[in-house]
Amino acid sequence: GAGDDIVFIDQAIQATSATSPGDVLSGGTGTDTLSAATATLDSHATTTTVSGFEEINITDEHSGSLDVADFGTGITTVTLAAGAHSGNAGDISFNAGTSVLNIKDVNDGDLTLTVAGTATTDSLTINLTDSTNVDVFSNEAITTTEIENITLNTTHAGSTATAQDITTLSMTANTGGVTKLTIIGSNALALDAVTANTIDASGATGAITQSTNMVGTASGTNVLKGGSGADTLVGDTDDTTNIDGNGGNDNLTGGSD
């Protein structure tokens, strides 16, 4: 219909064949959501009878390989209603262009995120939509490939400020691209290790704390910029990094170049 519809599925969508008309799902207008358990969505065959959906909601802990293109090129948003599974096998492949990942509960395992195509301008915004005042990232790792721009919003839907902690955030661009991590939001964020050409936390009000050096590029100049909090920023140890503490009483460590 014309509203923001949610369709729940509990088994694989059947394709059209000589003996079966298959399953036909049309979201219509509005922002429409396909909602299912990870086992139903993961490693799904590419569908040709699903259209008009913009979001996928995974109802339990994500633990397999989801390719959103299996459900149409219009899918731009994925919501992890129960976070990632502790098995560290939560993979998501997004459509090319601009996408959103909403994490609604604690990540108990690592996430691996990628995007279709060969463009060098793909972007992903990661939002914390949990409302229970917890560390959603839970000291787990995030690895992204072929996504050049990541925006990480540390503000969650809870009422109490809660520090967030990511053990490793590693970004790799498509050939010819450069990686940029943008950090915004009010919650403090601890990062054990970051691989990116640019880290821009100028939109963050919570303190940003790096426990080890960023890993940038040897072929250009890396950029590291803090927010308005009392940040601890550590540049690349052996490649040029321009560091700007921005506001707050910051602790800055440069490299050898």
Side-chain angles (χ1 to χ4, degrees):
D4 297 337
D5 304 315
I6 302 175
V7 175
F8 295 91
I9 56 176
D10 61 2
Q11 58 184 314
I13 297 169
Q14 299 300 307
T16 302
S17 68
T19 58
S20 171
D23 300 319
V24 179
L25 302 177
S26 177
T29 57
T31 302
D32 304 307
T33 303
L34 280 175
S35 186
T38 187
T40 301
L41 297 168
D42 293 343
S43 302
H44 197 289
T46 301
T47 60
T48 58
T49 56
V50 175
S51 63
F53 287 89
E54 291 74 35
E55 300 186 9
I56 290 177
N57 178 62
I58 303 177
T59 57
D60 58 346
E61 287 190 327
H62 180 49
S63 60
S65 298
L66 168 66
D67 186 348
V68 302
D70 288 341
F71 304 93
T73 57
I75 301 290
T76 58
T77 300
V78 173
T79 296
L80 300 181
H85 192 272
S86 59
N88 297 330
D91 301 345
I92 303 173
S93 177
F94 292 90
N95 286 313
T98 301
S99 298
V100 174
L101 174 64
N102 297 318
I103 305 176
K104 201 171 182 180
D105 203 348
V106 175
N107 267 355
D108 289 325
D110 300 342
L111 283 173
T112 300
L113 313 172
T114 189
V115 70
T118 59
T120 58
T121 56
D122 297 303
S123 63
L124 175 68
T125 297
I126 301 175
N127 297 315
L128 308 183
T129 54
D130 172 82
S131 61
T132 57
N133 305 315
V134 295
D135 177 6
V136 173
F137 292 118
S138 187
N139 203 33
E140 301 293 343
I142 298 175
T143 301
T144 70
T145 59
E146 302 178 350
I147 305 174
E148 287 72 36
N149 300 287
I150 300 286
T151 298
L152 182 60
N153 188 348
T154 67
T155 303
H156 58 47
S159 58
T160 302
T162 307
Q164 304 295 310
D165 191 347
I166 299 175
T167 180
T168 302
L169 200 160
S170 178
M171 299 177 63
T172 304
N174 256 318
T175 301
V178 294
T179 52
K180 180 180 181 180
L181 172 65
T182 301
I183 304 170
I184 61 176
S186 58
N187 279 323
L189 175 65
L191 293 161
D192 291 350
V194 180
T195 300
N197 301 124
T198 295
I199 302 174
D200 183 358
S202 58
T205 56
I208 307 301
T209 302
Q210 293 174 255
S211 61
T212 188
N213 60 284
M214 72 178 287
V215 177
T217 177
S219 60
T221 300
N222 304 297
V223 176
L224 177 57
K225 186 173 185 179
S228 60
D231 304 318
T232 299
L233 307 178
V234 186
D236 193 310
T237 56
D238 54 7
D239 296 308
T240 302
T241 307
N242 290 339
I243 304 176
D244 178 0
N246 203 6
N249 296 318
D250 304 312
N251 186 327
L252 310 180
T253 303
S256 58
D257 272 11

